[in-house]
Amino acid sequence: MTRHLIDDVTVGWDELGTDLLDDAPPALVNALTGGEHWPSRTLDHLLTPDGSPPVRMSVTDTTADQQDM
């Protein structure tokens, strides 16, 4: 799950979908989603001021001030 949610995504998530529940028991999926299914969507539509590709920002105690957090 960590690899899917954090390591394998380029920037971040727009929406987490029911694909995260693919291996869960059907009764649990129905209880959580009401039987609906939708895919996860990544943040693919981001634009940067200089036109460069967006990159993930890691906020730490050291970088928080530099990133205006």
Side-chain angles (χ1 to χ4, degrees):
M1 188 63 74
T2 300
R3 184 177 305 128
H4 177 76
L5 290 175
I6 299 169
D7 298 338
D8 290 347
V9 65
T10 304
V11 177
W13 294 99
D14 189 25
E15 179 180 13
L16 294 175
T18 58
D19 51 331
L20 296 176
L21 302 171
D22 283 350
D23 295 326
L28 177 62
V29 175
N30 285 333
L32 294 173
T33 69
E36 295 184 38
H37 297 278
W38 64 91
S40 295
R41 295 185 326 217
T42 58
L43 290 169
D44 294 333
H45 55 281
L46 298 177
L47 301 173
T48 59
D50 65 359
S52 63
V55 294
R56 186 180 347 183
M57 295 171 46
S58 296
V59 180
T60 65
D61 289 337
T62 305
T63 64
D65 287 336
Q66 298 167 352
Q67 297 175 3
D68 294 326
M69 299 287 173

